[in-house]
Amino acid sequence: MINAGIIGSTGYAGSELVRILLQHPSVNLKLLNSRSYIGKNFNAVYDNFNNFCDIECSDLKIEDMANEVDVIFLALPHGIASKQVTQDILSKTKIIDIGADFRLKSQEIYESWYKTKHHSPELLNQAVYGLSEWKREEIKKSPLIANPGCYTTCSLLPLYPLMKENIIDKNSIIIDAKSGVSGAGRALNLGTHFIECNDSIKAYKIASHRHTPEIEQQLSEVSGQQIQVSFTPHLIPMNRGILATCYVNLEQDSIGISEEEIKQIYETYYKDEYFIRIMNQGVYPETRWVKNSNFCDIGFKLDERTNRIVIICAIDNMVKGAAGQAVQNLNIMFDIDEKTGINYIPTFP
Amino acid sequence: MINAGIIGSTGYAGSELVRILLQHPSVNLKLLNSRSYIGKNFNAVYDNFNNFCDIECSDLKIEDMANEVDVIFLALPHGIASKQVTQDILSKTKIIDIGADFRLKSQEIYESWYKTKHHSPELLNQAVYGLSEWKREEIKKSPLIANPGCYTTCSLLPLYPLMKENIIDKNSIIIDAKSGVSGAGRALNLGTHFIECNDSIKAYKIASHRHTPEIEQQLSEVSGQQIQVSFTPHLIPMNRGILATCYVNLEQDSIGISEEEIKQIYETYYKDEYFIRIMNQGVYPETRWVKNSNFCDIGFKLDERTNRIVIICAIDNMVKGAAGQAVQNLNIMFDIDEKTGINYIPTFP
Amino acid sequence: MINAGIIGSTGYAGSELVRILLQHPSVNLKLLNSRSYIGKNFNAVYDNFNNFCDIECSDLKIEDMANEVDVIFLALPHGIASKQVTQDILSKTKIIDIGADFRLKSQEIYESWYKTKHHSPELLNQAVYGLSEWKREEIKKSPLIANPGCYTTCSLLPLYPLMKENIIDKNSIIIDAKSGVSGAGRALNLGTHFIECNDSIKAYKIASHRHTPEIEQQLSEVSGQQIQVSFTPHLIPMNRGILATCYVNLEQDSIGISEEEIKQIYETYYKDEYFIRIMNQGVYPETRWVKNSNFCDIGFKLDERTNRIVIICAIDNMVKGAAGQAVQNLNIMFDIDEKTGINYIPTFP
Amino acid sequence: MINAGIIGSTGYAGSELVRILLQHPSVNLKLLNSRSYIGKNFNAVYDNFNNFCDIECSDLKIEDMANEVDVIFLALPHGIASKQVTQDILSKTKIIDIGADFRLKSQEIYESWYKTKHHSPELLNQAVYGLSEWKREEIKKSPLIANPGCYTTCSLLPLYPLMKENIIDKNSIIIDAKSGVSGAGRALNLGTHFIECNDSIKAYKIASHRHTPEIEQQLSEVSGQQIQVSFTPHLIPMNRGILATCYVNLEQDSIGISEEEIKQIYETYYKDEYFIRIMNQGVYPETRWVKNSNFCDIGFKLDERTNRIVIICAIDNMVKGAAGQAVQNLNIMFDIDEKTGINYIPTFP
């Protein structure tokens, strides 16, 4: 059994981790840290966990937790994980950071987008960007995984095959993303007060959301050139799910490509990827079809009038966008079947 | 492995059964019948089942299905199951009917409330009312289980201990129930058109809902006297869940009873019932804490000013209110650990 | 023109008042006070008011405001209004208090339910309970109106005629009420964070909600005897609206009364009440039919099996339950046609 | 008083027209036609109209209605209006068609996108495209107004000034639009069944929605060249509202333009347009701020990294997107103050 602990367990992503890990056959969830609920049992914070989890939330430090568990998940606001993780910690335990601190390779870009100092830049190169489907081999070898952002996962997976195949104009990428409100976390905020977001929709952080440099870093790596994208997140009155609508122009040489050929590209790249489901032509992903699951559904439409491809991707932001992918990475790191503990059928209704 | 089939698999309750049975370690889901989608693969009807279920929906008759499986679930509109089930069928396979046809012991009451003829009244006595926690021993022995209605389950479980203990005025029972829209099924209807029920609430079928005689039959059986209740269902703009708010007057002799004593009653009755969770005092059930699970949460408040007890019960109408309890009954019938395949942590958010 | 000011203008009830008063043909909305947004223009707090209201929110004191306007609306948390209103203020201006401080006649009951001292008990008898339809004559004459609570309005209007006619058992009253989330106000709170209340339902403050003594005071006054009720509020994932489901037992002598006779009672009492709409038999109120309007819809069902009447009442909690009724009272106080400025067709969808 | 009739009055757009016209001081709403509810009073179809509208829905033909009213609104599925309207009708009354039949100037494009024959192509040139802010002078003179589509209105108004000023690459226009469910109408459909769209989001009719050629026609007219756009509609779990997120590349010559300069362009074009509200920099439209109103809110962000402008536009699809703009056009046609009857403050919450 893999002994696991979570630091920051009482946020939404943390609680989703608790839920998944408790049902994981190879994991023993041992320690829960939470600044906000020290001394409270986990099921007193979240009543759904009655009968399942009465672990007491503690303020145990990462140094002490590292001595007791094989893996620590961090689910913390940015700027905190980079203070806590050290080489010493990494020599004792594996770290899967659901937060943003180790995702960007460039300290400068991190500090410019996050407006805060990075406290352990020496670890940035050691950290592996944990997009499971792309980085499997590196994930296996690293003690420090930077779990991707929810928007990033939902943007990268649909764009990757088209980038690799060089059929799209790399300067034309526009990602219009729509997220359920759980993505904003449990901290109280007027913008996520029920009345302020129910029965309404808004864009926010236009051209300035922090998942942008993360998307760009990964697409640049894949394409071997500097990529910039337009990324616009929107808040949708629903609990879970992200839908990303991606617009790309066909590269001049690729004009004339058929939908079947594009479908073939996706199938070639993802035929062995269990958690990526390519939709049939004419069928597009909807967030309801991936709810409470680790699946990433991808569909697309070739618009022959404008020579653009419109690609739609849906994930559950709490699962493939956070806790589920973190466990997928745990499975990879510990050489367990990658589906273990996260192979649930999406729930509907 | 238990071979299973479903007749009426493409409604919401049917699809929830498919989801649960596919993940059940002792069940082999073999045959799916659906009048509406003959010839279509199940995952073409519900895209969440991609990677999980491409069984083709057929119009296989119950007679033929009975030869191939150990248990058939019926998820049909009322009036149909009573035409299909026969002694011959029951000699070949077990039947768990999620519909209403075999719940009421009295043909007359059935025909009066359902405004239709009952086609197999001779089976009514053989059928066992499948409220798992009350009828475990009988369920084990019968080939025909009438799975309780969603509202009924959510009303009976909280009222049962107080009825048995004779502390309440049996003529004073009022049940004010609130259901998510999935309870109304997938058939198109103006009342469940998004715009007509979103951001609004209504009562419906006041003093005339068909779960009323079912509640009364079971409470009468428990109390040994004829019980009549006021039951009012309401439609809530949410997908899943039922909350029942039950009002009962204290019996004259019981005035003065304390909250602790009432809590003790609940704990005595339900201490061995895994799927029933009694809330701490001052904490009341909410549907979000039981979502996608088979749990039934019960809490209450003694109102000493009015000598009433207000009891709150929450279930997921699709799970404990339908498919989950049906599988709980399957487990009982086949002598498997009762929690098998339905012991999931409720999902939140 | 009537000059008006609002103290506490930036909560939901306050902003609804601003909206109604700005469109009121006989009112000049002159001054807005808000502790939270001093110095900000009102339309910077609520963007819907662009083009309509750029009045600057001030911290103007009630004494100063009283010199400049003919009427002041108070939309404040309890315990504050009773500190601010004095005989001197009342000699200069009229006060319509949307809060709770002047609703209860008994200082003792107020202090017991609100757990706070009342700062101006000497004004309690002078204050008129502003349920417009019951208190029209007194409202005309008083400078201090205690606008009723939202739940109270929705409970009293349907119960009043049956109480007056003595056809119901006065100890049997149970009110099961369901409210949209705007009733909880704009102050941040975990319970009204989107994720915590969307797609779920809960009861809260069972047998302890502060509108209970208000309901009892008014029903006691009407019936001439001490009345106690069971009152249970629920939170519904919708923006606006309250639905109250009221249960009453028929008085022994009234058993045998017909639905038509009960309908006749309602029509007799409310035939001249424009804002009360009695539904046809078999049709029940829904909150969507009164949205954004001052209407109070009432319907009922006589349950001949249990000798109970189930009465349903729907209002918009922000309008008839708060700002709309406040303006109705203003119209009465200033001897304007009672419908002025609040006679809008409910909006749907 | 202007006598008015509506054909197709019981759909959502029709009922919104009824609501607005009943409160319009210069209009006498005289006749309501509805195929689905012949013989029923309007308030029996929509209970919110109790006290306001008991006009009986008839199957009165357009020929007969034309003799009795000064203006007829058509709110019909496509393909029907083009059968009903004739020169003879237009000689007797004015027509404002909320449907699609007279929006496209080219019969060929209409028939290709709508897959149906156009029955009165000879009227296409006579019809004026009723985008009030652009076509005021022509609207005044024509008896036949083709009221714009909801998505079209929300796309054209934000793009128009930038097109006219030639600062954007005209081949780069991408419109990602999100609509509330009322846009799909009242006809029953699995896609708008509550459970199928609540708590989820989807794109639909990608690169094939019928508002596309309408957008292109108008942008081509403005720019004097053939424009093609990518247009993707999405369904959002809310009742009302459309948010359009528009992406445009800066024209080479315009790179270096500042946000202030772009703001200035919008203000120049729309300074006299009451119903268009340009947001302050850094503030973006949200559908909640225009709910139940005729306003069109526009905000934008210059992304200097990618040389794109992201423009956000929000309208209420039922009002500015349908019935409200229709009444705005009526006011223009009858030379009434353009705001009459539609100048309401948006409602929030």
Side-chain angles (χ1 to χ4, degrees):
Chain A
M1 291 296 273
I2 302 158
N3 287 310
I6 303 173
I7 296 183
S9 62
T10 53
Y12 292 143
S15 83
E16 187 73 356
L17 258 177
V18 174
R19 189 175 70 82
I20 294 173
L21 293 174
L22 285 172
Q23 300 185 148
H24 192 294
S26 312
V27 171
N28 172 34
L29 182 59
K30 209 172 151 186
L31 295 169
L32 297 179
N33 158 303
S34 162
R35 281 187 306 179
S36 317
Y37 294 99
I38 297 166
K40 258 197 145 170
N41 289 358
F42 196 77
N43 60 338
V45 181
Y46 287 104
D47 279 298
N48 52 324
F49 285 94
N50 285 322
N51 280 21
F52 291 99
C53 185
D54 58 2
I55 299 177
E56 190 181 310
C57 297
S58 76
D59 57 350
L60 194 67
K61 293 214 160 28
I62 192 168
E63 292 78 11
D64 301 316
M65 201 184 269
N67 292 323
E68 302 204 38
V69 298
D70 305 304
V71 59
I72 297 175
F73 293 87
L74 306 180
L76 295 166
H78 67 85
I80 298 179
S82 75
K83 271 189 202 156
Q84 301 197 351
V85 182
T86 62
Q87 287 293 8
D88 183 53
I89 300 286
L90 293 175
S91 71
K92 295 180 184 163
T93 192
K94 293 179 196 295
I95 298 286
I96 300 174
D97 181 14
I98 289 191
D101 280 9
F102 298 101
R103 291 178 192 157
L104 296 173
K105 291 297 169 201
S106 155
Q107 177 182 5
E108 189 187 338
I109 292 176
Y110 175 89
E111 296 185 345
S112 140
W113 284 80
Y114 284 88
K115 316 285 180 210
T116 188
K117 204 176 135 43
H118 197 289
H119 300 280
S120 46
E122 71 283 3
L123 297 177
L124 289 177
N125 272 319
Q126 199 173 342
V128 167
Y129 191 77
L131 192 64
S132 314
E133 282 76 9
W134 293 17
K135 300 285 187 179
R136 203 168 272 122
E137 294 313 311
E138 299 170 54
I139 291 165
K140 277 184 193 170
K141 298 173 201 147
S142 173
L144 175 55
I145 305 301
N147 218 57
C150 51
Y151 282 125
T152 322
T153 297
C154 200
S155 301
L156 292 176
L157 290 173
L159 289 171
Y160 175 70
L162 306 186
M163 290 296 280
K164 288 289 278 187
E165 288 299 301
N166 284 307
I167 64 166
I168 58 172
D169 173 354
K170 296 184 175 67
N171 292 315
S172 72
I173 301 171
I174 289 172
I175 302 159
D176 189 284
K178 298 90 175 168
S179 174
V181 185
S182 60
R186 207 183 203 201
L188 300 186
N189 186 293
L190 188 60
T192 48
H193 196 57
F194 182 85
I195 288 299
E196 308 285 323
C197 53
N198 188 45
D199 220 53
S200 189
I201 174 175
K202 68 170 176 185
Y204 66 100
K205 293 187 189 160
I206 303 177
S208 60
H209 191 280
R210 287 158 172 169
H211 288 179
T212 311
E214 201 181 319
I215 296 170
E216 292 178 347
Q217 168 182 284
Q218 294 308 119
L219 290 180
S220 299
E221 185 189 297
V222 165
S223 68
Q225 66 187 81
Q226 203 55 40
I227 303 289
Q228 286 191 315
V229 304
S230 286
F231 173 69
T232 311
H234 297 76
L235 194 68
I236 304 296
M238 61 184 190
N239 281 359
R240 283 168 179 256
I242 292 182
L243 193 86
T245 308
C246 307
Y247 299 87
V248 293
N249 294 347
L250 284 175
E251 188 64 67
Q252 200 59 35
D253 294 351
S254 300
I255 293 178
I257 195 172
S258 69
E259 281 213 337
E260 288 69 19
E261 289 170 295
I262 299 168
K263 180 106 191 287
Q264 193 55 52
I265 290 172
Y266 277 111
E267 287 178 345
T268 302
Y269 275 79
Y270 289 141
K271 67 176 182 300
D272 296 329
E273 293 301 342
Y274 179 78
F275 288 117
I276 297 182
R277 305 189 297 190
I278 308 301
M279 313 296 283
N280 290 331
Q281 280 174 249
V283 182
Y284 307 112
E286 309 184 21
T287 59
R288 61 179 170 145
W289 300 131
V290 296
K291 200 176 280 188
N292 293 310
S293 87
N294 200 50
F295 289 96
C296 169
D297 282 2
I298 297 174
F300 70 93
K301 169 80 180 176
L302 171 64
D303 183 1
E304 289 168 340
R305 295 184 337 119
T306 60
N307 288 314
R308 289 199 185 96
I309 314 176
V310 185
I311 316 129
I312 311 282
C313 180
I315 62 170
D316 184 315
N317 60 314
M318 291 283 115
V319 190
K320 183 64 179 170
Q325 184 155 249
V327 174
Q328 190 177 356
N329 287 332
L330 170 139
N331 291 341
I332 294 170
M333 294 168 93
F334 287 89
D335 207 22
I336 304 168
D337 179 336
E338 200 169 315
K339 301 192 291 290
T340 313
I342 45 176
N343 188 16
Y344 295 108
I345 304 172
T347 60
F348 175 81
Chain B
M1 292 295 273
I2 302 158
N3 287 310
I6 303 173
I7 295 182
S9 62
T10 53
Y12 291 142
S15 82
E16 186 73 356
L17 258 177
V18 174
R19 187 174 70 84
I20 294 173
L21 293 175
L22 285 172
Q23 301 185 146
H24 192 294
S26 313
V27 171
N28 171 34
L29 182 58
K30 208 173 153 186
L31 295 169
L32 298 179
N33 159 304
S34 162
R35 281 188 306 180
S36 316
Y37 294 99
I38 297 167
K40 258 198 145 169
N41 289 359
F42 196 77
N43 59 339
V45 181
Y46 287 104
D47 279 298
N48 53 323
F49 285 95
N50 285 322
N51 281 19
F52 290 100
C53 185
D54 57 3
I55 300 176
E56 189 180 311
C57 297
S58 76
D59 58 349
L60 193 68
K61 291 215 162 31
I62 192 169
E63 293 78 11
D64 301 317
M65 200 184 270
N67 291 325
E68 302 204 38
V69 298
D70 305 304
V71 60
I72 296 174
F73 293 86
L74 306 179
L76 295 166
H78 67 84
I80 298 179
S82 75
K83 272 189 200 156
Q84 301 197 350
V85 182
T86 63
Q87 286 294 8
D88 182 52
I89 299 286
L90 293 174
S91 71
K92 295 179 185 164
T93 191
K94 293 179 196 296
I95 298 284
I96 300 174
D97 180 15
I98 288 193
D101 281 9
F102 298 102
R103 292 178 192 157
L104 296 173
K105 291 299 168 200
S106 156
Q107 176 183 6
E108 189 186 339
I109 291 176
Y110 175 89
E111 296 184 345
S112 141
W113 283 81
Y114 285 86
K115 317 285 182 210
T116 189
K117 202 175 136 42
H118 197 288
H119 299 280
S120 46
E122 70 283 2
L123 297 177
L124 289 177
N125 272 321
Q126 200 173 341
V128 167
Y129 190 78
L131 192 64
S132 314
E133 282 76 9
W134 294 17
K135 300 286 187 178
R136 203 169 273 125
E137 294 314 309
E138 298 170 56
I139 291 166
K140 279 183 191 170
K141 297 175 200 146
S142 174
L144 175 55
I145 304 301
N147 217 58
C150 51
Y151 283 127
T152 323
T153 297
C154 200
S155 301
L156 291 176
L157 290 173
L159 289 170
Y160 175 70
L162 305 185
M163 290 297 280
K164 286 291 277 188
E165 288 300 300
N166 284 307
I167 65 165
I168 58 173
D169 173 354
K170 297 186 174 65
N171 292 315
S172 71
I173 301 171
I174 290 172
I175 302 158
D176 189 284
K178 298 91 175 169
S179 175
V181 183
S182 60
R186 208 184 201 200
L188 300 186
N189 186 294
L190 189 58
T192 49
H193 196 55
F194 182 85
I195 288 299
E196 309 285 324
C197 53
N198 188 45
D199 220 54
S200 189
I201 174 175
K202 68 172 176 183
Y204 65 100
K205 292 188 189 159
I206 303 176
S208 60
H209 191 281
R210 286 158 172 169
H211 288 179
T212 311
E214 201 181 319
I215 297 169
E216 292 177 348
Q217 168 183 286
Q218 295 307 120
L219 290 180
S220 298
E221 185 189 298
V222 165
S223 68
Q225 67 187 78
Q226 203 55 39
I227 303 289
Q228 286 191 317
V229 304
S230 287
F231 172 70
T232 312
H234 297 75
L235 194 69
I236 304 296
M238 61 183 190
N239 281 359
R240 284 166 178 256
I242 292 181
L243 193 86
T245 309
C246 308
Y247 300 87
V248 293
N249 294 347
L250 284 175
E251 189 65 67
Q252 200 59 36
D253 294 351
S254 300
I255 292 177
I257 194 171
S258 69
E259 281 213 337
E260 289 70 20
E261 289 169 296
I262 299 168
K263 179 106 191 288
Q264 193 55 53
I265 291 172
Y266 277 110
E267 287 177 345
T268 303
Y269 276 79
Y270 289 140
K271 68 175 181 298
D272 296 329
E273 293 301 343
Y274 179 77
F275 288 117
I276 297 180
R277 305 190 296 193
I278 307 301
M279 313 298 283
N280 290 332
Q281 279 174 249
V283 182
Y284 307 111
E286 308 183 23
T287 57
R288 61 178 169 146
W289 301 132
V290 296
K291 199 175 280 187
N292 292 310
S293 87
N294 200 50
F295 289 95
C296 169
D297 282 2
I298 297 174
F300 70 94
K301 169 81 181 176
L302 172 64
D303 183 2
E304 288 168 342
R305 296 182 338 118
T306 60
N307 287 315
R308 289 197 185 99
I309 314 176
V310 184
I311 316 129
I312 311 282
C313 181
I315 62 169
D316 183 316
N317 60 313
M318 290 284 115
V319 190
K320 184 63 180 171
Q325 184 155 247
V327 174
Q328 189 177 359
N329 287 332
L330 170 138
N331 291 341
I332 295 170
M333 294 167 94
F334 287 88
D335 208 22
I336 303 169
D337 179 337
E338 200 169 317
K339 302 192 291 291
T340 313
I342 44 175
N343 188 16
Y344 295 108
I345 304 173
T347 60
F348 175 81
Chain C
M1 292 294 273
I2 302 158
N3 287 310
I6 303 173
I7 295 183
S9 62
T10 54
Y12 292 143
S15 82
E16 187 73 356
L17 258 177
V18 173
R19 188 174 70 84
I20 294 173
L21 292 175
L22 284 172
Q23 300 185 147
H24 192 294
S26 313
V27 170
N28 171 36
L29 183 58
K30 208 173 152 186
L31 294 170
L32 298 179
N33 158 304
S34 163
R35 281 188 305 180
S36 316
Y37 295 99
I38 297 167
K40 258 199 144 169
N41 288 359
F42 196 77
N43 60 339
V45 181
Y46 287 105
D47 278 298
N48 52 325
F49 284 94
N50 285 321
N51 280 21
F52 290 100
C53 185
D54 58 3
I55 299 177
E56 189 181 313
C57 298
S58 76
D59 58 349
L60 193 68
K61 293 215 159 30
I62 192 169
E63 292 78 11
D64 301 316
M65 200 184 270
N67 291 325
E68 302 204 38
V69 298
D70 305 304
V71 60
I72 296 174
F73 293 87
L74 306 179
L76 294 166
H78 67 85
I80 299 180
S82 76
K83 272 189 201 156
Q84 300 196 350
V85 182
T86 63
Q87 287 294 6
D88 183 53
I89 300 286
L90 294 174
S91 70
K92 294 180 185 164
T93 192
K94 293 179 196 294
I95 298 284
I96 300 174
D97 181 15
I98 288 191
D101 280 9
F102 298 102
R103 292 178 192 157
L104 296 173
K105 291 299 169 200
S106 156
Q107 176 183 5
E108 188 187 339
I109 292 177
Y110 175 90
E111 296 185 345
S112 142
W113 284 80
Y114 285 86
K115 317 285 182 210
T116 188
K117 204 174 134 46
H118 197 289
H119 300 279
S120 45
E122 71 282 3
L123 297 177
L124 289 177
N125 271 319
Q126 199 173 341
V128 167
Y129 190 78
L131 192 64
S132 315
E133 282 76 9
W134 294 18
K135 299 287 187 177
R136 202 168 273 125
E137 293 313 310
E138 297 170 56
I139 291 166
K140 277 184 193 171
K141 296 175 200 144
S142 174
L144 175 55
I145 304 302
N147 217 57
C150 52
Y151 283 126
T152 323
T153 297
C154 200
S155 301
L156 291 176
L157 290 173
L159 289 170
Y160 176 70
L162 305 185
M163 291 296 280
K164 287 290 278 188
E165 288 300 300
N166 283 307
I167 65 165
I168 59 173
D169 173 353
K170 297 185 174 67
N171 292 316
S172 72
I173 301 171
I174 290 172
I175 302 159
D176 189 284
K178 297 93 175 169
S179 175
V181 183
S182 60
R186 207 184 201 201
L188 300 186
N189 187 293
L190 189 59
T192 48
H193 196 56
F194 182 85
I195 287 299
E196 309 285 324
C197 53
N198 188 45
D199 220 54
S200 189
I201 173 175
K202 68 171 177 183
Y204 65 100
K205 292 188 190 159
I206 304 177
S208 61
H209 191 281
R210 287 159 171 168
H211 288 177
T212 311
E214 201 181 319
I215 296 169
E216 292 178 348
Q217 168 183 286
Q218 295 307 121
L219 291 180
S220 298
E221 185 188 297
V222 164
S223 68
Q225 67 187 78
Q226 203 55 39
I227 303 289
Q228 286 191 316
V229 304
S230 287
F231 172 70
T232 312
H234 297 74
L235 194 69
I236 304 295
M238 61 183 189
N239 281 359
R240 284 168 178 254
I242 292 181
L243 193 86
T245 308
C246 307
Y247 299 87
V248 294
N249 294 347
L250 283 174
E251 188 65 68
Q252 201 58 35
D253 294 350
S254 300
I255 292 177
I257 194 172
S258 68
E259 281 213 338
E260 288 69 20
E261 289 169 296
I262 299 168
K263 179 104 191 288
Q264 193 56 53
I265 290 172
Y266 277 111
E267 286 177 345
T268 302
Y269 276 79
Y270 289 140
K271 67 175 182 298
D272 296 329
E273 293 301 343
Y274 179 77
F275 288 116
I276 298 180
R277 305 189 296 191
I278 307 301
M279 313 297 283
N280 289 332
Q281 280 174 248
V283 182
Y284 307 111
E286 309 184 22
T287 57
R288 61 178 169 146
W289 301 132
V290 296
K291 199 176 280 187
N292 293 310
S293 87
N294 199 49
F295 289 96
C296 169
D297 282 1
I298 297 173
F300 70 93
K301 169 80 180 175
L302 172 63
D303 182 2
E304 288 167 342
R305 295 183 338 119
T306 60
N307 287 315
R308 288 197 186 98
I309 314 176
V310 185
I311 316 130
I312 312 282
C313 180
I315 62 169
D316 183 315
N317 60 314
M318 291 284 115
V319 190
K320 184 64 179 170
Q325 184 155 247
V327 174
Q328 189 177 358
N329 287 332
L330 171 138
N331 291 341
I332 295 170
M333 293 167 95
F334 287 87
D335 207 22
I336 303 169
D337 179 337
E338 200 169 316
K339 302 193 291 291
T340 312
I342 44 175
N343 188 17
Y344 295 108
I345 304 173
T347 60
F348 176 81
Chain D
M1 290 297 271
I2 303 158
N3 287 310
I6 303 173
I7 296 183
S9 62
T10 53
Y12 292 143
S15 83
E16 187 73 355
L17 258 177
V18 173
R19 189 175 69 84
I20 294 173
L21 292 174
L22 285 172
Q23 300 185 146
H24 192 295
S26 312
V27 171
N28 171 35
L29 182 59
K30 208 172 152 187
L31 295 169
L32 297 179
N33 158 303
S34 162
R35 281 187 305 179
S36 316
Y37 294 100
I38 297 166
K40 257 197 147 171
N41 289 358
F42 195 77
N43 60 337
V45 181
Y46 287 104
D47 279 296
N48 52 325
F49 285 94
N50 284 322
N51 281 20
F52 290 100
C53 185
D54 58 2
I55 299 177
E56 190 181 312
C57 296
S58 77
D59 58 351
L60 193 68
K61 293 212 162 33
I62 193 169
E63 293 79 11
D64 300 317
M65 200 184 269
N67 291 323
E68 302 204 37
V69 298
D70 306 303
V71 60
I72 296 174
F73 294 86
L74 306 179
L76 294 166
H78 67 85
I80 299 179
S82 75
K83 271 190 200 155
Q84 300 196 352
V85 182
T86 62
Q87 287 293 8
D88 183 52
I89 299 286
L90 293 175
S91 71
K92 294 180 185 164
T93 192
K94 294 178 196 296
I95 298 285
I96 299 174
D97 180 14
I98 288 191
D101 280 9
F102 298 102
R103 291 179 192 156
L104 296 173
K105 291 298 168 201
S106 156
Q107 177 182 5
E108 189 187 339
I109 292 176
Y110 175 89
E111 296 184 346
S112 142
W113 284 80
Y114 284 88
K115 317 284 181 211
T116 188
K117 202 174 137 43
H118 197 288
H119 300 279
S120 45
E122 70 283 2
L123 297 178
L124 289 177
N125 272 319
Q126 199 172 343
V128 167
Y129 191 77
L131 192 63
S132 314
E133 281 77 9
W134 294 17
K135 301 285 188 179
R136 203 168 273 124
E137 294 313 310
E138 299 170 54
I139 291 166
K140 277 184 191 169
K141 297 175 200 146
S142 174
L144 175 55
I145 305 301
N147 217 57
C150 51
Y151 282 125
T152 322
T153 297
C154 200
S155 302
L156 292 176
L157 290 173
L159 289 171
Y160 175 69
L162 305 185
M163 289 297 279
K164 288 289 277 189
E165 289 299 300
N166 284 307
I167 64 166
I168 59 173
D169 173 354
K170 297 186 174 66
N171 292 317
S172 71
I173 301 171
I174 290 172
I175 302 158
D176 190 284
K178 298 90 176 169
S179 174
V181 184
S182 60
R186 208 184 201 199
L188 300 186
N189 187 293
L190 188 59
T192 49
H193 197 56
F194 182 85
I195 288 298
E196 308 285 324
C197 53
N198 188 45
D199 219 53
S200 190
I201 173 174
K202 68 171 177 184
Y204 66 100
K205 293 187 188 160
I206 303 177
S208 61
H209 191 280
R210 286 158 173 170
H211 288 180
T212 312
E214 202 181 318
I215 296 170
E216 292 177 347
Q217 168 183 286
Q218 294 308 121
L219 290 180
S220 299
E221 185 189 297
V222 165
S223 68
Q225 67 187 80
Q226 203 56 39
I227 303 288
Q228 286 191 315
V229 303
S230 286
F231 173 70
T232 312
H234 297 76
L235 194 69
I236 305 296
M238 60 182 191
N239 281 359
R240 283 168 179 253
I242 293 181
L243 193 86
T245 308
C246 307
Y247 299 88
V248 294
N249 294 348
L250 283 176
E251 189 64 67
Q252 200 60 35
D253 294 349
S254 300
I255 292 177
I257 194 172
S258 69
E259 281 214 336
E260 289 68 21
E261 289 169 296
I262 299 167
K263 180 107 191 288
Q264 192 56 53
I265 290 172
Y266 277 111
E267 286 178 346
T268 302
Y269 275 79
Y270 289 140
K271 67 175 182 299
D272 296 328
E273 293 301 342
Y274 180 78
F275 287 117
I276 297 181
R277 304 189 297 191
I278 307 301
M279 314 297 283
N280 289 332
Q281 280 174 248
V283 182
Y284 307 111
E286 309 185 21
T287 58
R288 60 178 169 146
W289 300 132
V290 296
K291 200 175 279 186
N292 293 310
S293 87
N294 200 51
F295 288 96
C296 169
D297 282 1
I298 297 174
F300 70 93
K301 170 80 181 175
L302 171 64
D303 183 2
E304 288 168 342
R305 296 183 337 119
T306 59
N307 288 315
R308 289 197 186 97
I309 313 176
V310 185
I311 316 129
I312 311 282
C313 180
I315 62 169
D316 184 316
N317 60 314
M318 290 284 115
V319 189
K320 184 65 181 171
Q325 184 156 249
V327 174
Q328 190 177 357
N329 288 331
L330 170 138
N331 291 341
I332 294 170
M333 294 168 94
F334 287 88
D335 207 22
I336 303 169
D337 179 337
E338 200 169 316
K339 302 193 291 291
T340 313
I342 45 176
N343 187 17
Y344 295 108
I345 303 173
T347 60
F348 175 81

